[in-house]
Every structure is written in structure tokens, then in C-alpha cells.
Amino acid sequence: GIGTKIEVAERTGIYDTLGYDLVAMVADDLIAGGFVPTNISNIIDVDNLDYNIIDQLMRGLHHAANFAGIAVTGGEIAELGSRISGWGNNMHFNWCSTAIGVLHPRLQHPVDGSAVHEGDAVIALRSRGFRSNGFSAVRKIMQEQFGNQWHTQPYSDGQSWGEILLTPSLIFAPAVTNVINEGIGIKGIAHITGGGIADNFRRVLKVNRMGANLHNLFEPHPFMVQLANYGHVTPQQAYLYWNMGNGMLLITANKDAEKTVELLNTAGEYQAQVAGHITAKRRITIETVWGSIITA
């Protein structure tokens, strides 16, 4: 599901980008295991049906599914009355999905981190924004900073805070699939969702009890830094709540890192760079604009 990011759509009246968030949350979880997403089903729980909003949601889902190369093979709308609530007077809803994928034909078994060794390269893929995680913290900070109409506050370049926080998720599955298509061995993949970089990456590294030195991650987007400043959020908290500009981490052999980055950077709108290396010490060190964060 896409969680309380829905409230930002309710505040701005922009609904046709949420489909990218819905698809990204499941498609990128699948590719993190080496499974190529094939189809998706979804359910929308609403209080009272508004066909115009539903049309916008479906338009976004259509575009996102095309981007990801998957089929929408099922869906349901359930009217639940007062059991569903939200912001404002328009239709309130919750939107969740399930996706199915097949193990990439080049793989003998799922990508699970069992092949990771000391010295392997870690490659970061840049996110567009917060994706669909940490919005309870985002909304709390904005409410305290600007009050109930926080979404209308100007950010920059003619965009409001509501619009910048609604930035749709970039779906990484097609780009990662292309890397596997080229025969590059990906040893581990972390989709950076709730729990941030350390918690999600630790799941990949724990199989072989490895650690990582991440000294060259993408810097957080300026609006992430501004939000952290508004909320007096510490670096440790920021990198736990949010992806801080890094939506996915891949692990490859060091010899494959340059080619992997090149493939990712030539696949449409993706940005990738070598972010660090795997270490034998069971800790993750993250170099940030605020200094080092070390997690056990």
C-alpha cells in the first residue's frame, strides 16, 4: 500500500501520480529478490465513491504499469462508509496492491545476499523523493511548522510543499531487470523503504554476516534536508525514516561495478553510482552531509 501519502493527494487534489507509488512498492520488492514483475492486482477502499477521482487513480496506474512493463489483471473497489476517513471533503480512500513475478531466467535461485563477499561493490540508485515511506513523520513536521494548510506553502520554482512531497516514486524494476538481462551477477538488492538504508540493507548482509562502508551515497534532496531541519530530526533519525535520496542498493562483484553503473545510467531517467563496498565487519557506516552514522 501507499500509506498516508494519500493525504497529500487529498490536500493537493492531484491523484494521477499515486499509481507510480502503488506499483513501485510491490514491483521493486519483487526485483529485490530477482523476480521480474509480471502482473498486479489492486483494491481501493473508499468511504463514498467519486468516479472522477477513481478515473485519475486508474490513469496513473495505467501509466505506471506501462512503465514497469506489467499487466493490471485484477481490482476491486469497496465502499466502507465511515470506516474510511481522511482530509477534506472529497472521497477518502486506502489503496493497496499485490504483484506477482517470475524468477529471472538467468537466475538459478532468488537473490538473497548469500553470494556477498568482502570487497564487493555497492551501487546506489537515486530516488526522486520520499517514495511512500515516512509520511506520518513528514505530515507531523509540516503540521507543526505551518499549520493545517501546510500543503499550500511555497517550496521553490513555483511548487508548493504539497506538490513536492507528492513526487511520484521512480520504479526501479525495469532498470535492474535490464542489468540481469546483460548477464551481470547481482549478489544482493535492498529496496529502501520503511526503516531507511541501514535496516533494509542489513537484511541483505545478515546472511553472510557482512557489513558495508557507504561513503558515496547520493546526497539527500534539498527538501529532505529542509524538512529534517524543520523537525529537528537527527541524521540517525532521518536515515531511519526516509531513503534520503537513495531508493535502491545493489551489490555486485567489484569488477562488474563500472559496467553496472553504465547500464543503469543509460536506462532512461535513472541515476546510479558506486556508493561503497562490503566489509567483513558487521556494521554499516553511512557517510552523510552531517557526518558519519555507524549502525551495528
Side-chain angles (χ1 to χ4, degrees):
I2 54 178
T4 60
K5 189 172 186 176
I6 287 171
E7 184 182 312
V8 189
E10 291 174 339
R11 286 173 173 270
T12 60
I14 301 170
Y15 296 95
D16 61 357
T17 62
L18 291 181
Y20 283 88
D21 304 299
L22 189 80
V23 172
M25 292 304 101
V26 287
D28 290 345
D29 272 355
L30 280 168
I31 200 62
F35 295 89
V36 180
T38 57
N39 57 289
I40 187 172
S41 181
N42 69 108
I43 181 168
I44 308 174
D45 295 328
V46 306
D47 54 357
N48 296 290
L49 193 58
D50 184 315
Y51 287 101
N52 178 55
I53 293 176
I54 294 294
D55 284 347
Q56 292 181 61
L57 294 174
M58 291 300 102
R59 187 181 307 118
L61 178 58
H62 168 76
H63 292 316
N66 282 344
F67 183 95
I70 65 176
V72 181
T73 52
E76 180 182 356
I77 300 172
E79 287 193 78
L80 302 181
S82 61
R83 293 192 65 84
I84 303 296
S85 61
W87 189 90
N89 297 319
N90 290 325
M91 183 187 84
H92 304 129
F93 62 99
N94 187 41
W95 200 11
C96 297
S97 67
T98 298
I100 295 174
V102 295
L103 189 66
H104 194 288
R106 283 188 174 270
L107 301 177
Q108 298 298 313
H109 54 77
V111 178
D112 61 3
S114 59
V116 172
H117 292 100
E118 181 182 4
D120 285 340
V122 181
I123 296 166
L125 276 158
R126 186 155 178 76
S127 69
R128 287 174 175 161
F130 287 104
R131 293 172 72 76
S132 278
N133 307 108
F135 271 88
S136 292
V138 167
R139 293 183 300 107
K140 181 176 183 293
I141 291 168
M142 294 302 291
Q143 182 80 25
E144 292 175 350
Q145 181 71 24
F146 294 116
N148 195 45
Q149 296 296 316
W150 56 260
H151 57 285
T152 65
Q153 294 295 316
Y155 174 69
S156 68
D157 300 326
Q159 282 189 304
S160 67
W161 267 104
E163 291 168 325
I164 198 70
L165 293 175
L166 198 59
T167 300
S169 299
L170 179 57
I171 303 167
F172 299 117
V176 178
T177 299
N178 184 54
V179 171
I180 303 175
N181 288 345
E182 294 298 317
I184 292 177
I186 299 181
K187 301 184 177 187
I189 305 173
H191 180 197
I192 310 305
T193 54
I197 292 172
D199 279 6
N200 286 281
F201 201 33
R202 187 181 292 112
R203 298 172 193 166
V204 178
L205 301 179
K206 71 178 183 180
V207 178
N208 281 357
R209 300 184 176 185
M210 295 281 108
N213 181 9
L214 304 178
H215 54 82
N216 190 42
L217 289 165
F218 285 105
E219 291 188 1
H221 296 283
F223 54 84
M224 293 178 168
V225 176
Q226 185 63 62
L227 194 79
N229 290 337
Y230 283 158
H232 306 289
V233 175
T234 67
Q236 289 85 351
Q237 290 172 323
Y239 276 82
L240 180 65
Y241 295 159
W242 307 310
N243 65 68
M244 300 306 283
N246 301 268
M248 184 166 278
L249 298 179
L250 314 180
I251 303 172
T252 69
N254 206 40
K255 65 180 179 62
D256 294 327
E258 184 176 341
K259 183 178 180 181
T260 303
V261 169
E262 181 182 353
L263 283 170
L264 292 167
N265 281 333
T266 55
E269 54 194 286
Y270 300 98
Q271 297 178 57
Q273 64 189 34
V274 175
H277 291 86
I278 301 301
T279 64
K281 292 184 178 180
R282 293 184 63 184
R283 68 183 188 186
I284 298 174
T285 302
I286 301 172
E287 298 294 336
T288 78
V289 292
W290 296 289
S292 297
I293 299 172
I294 300 174
T295 63

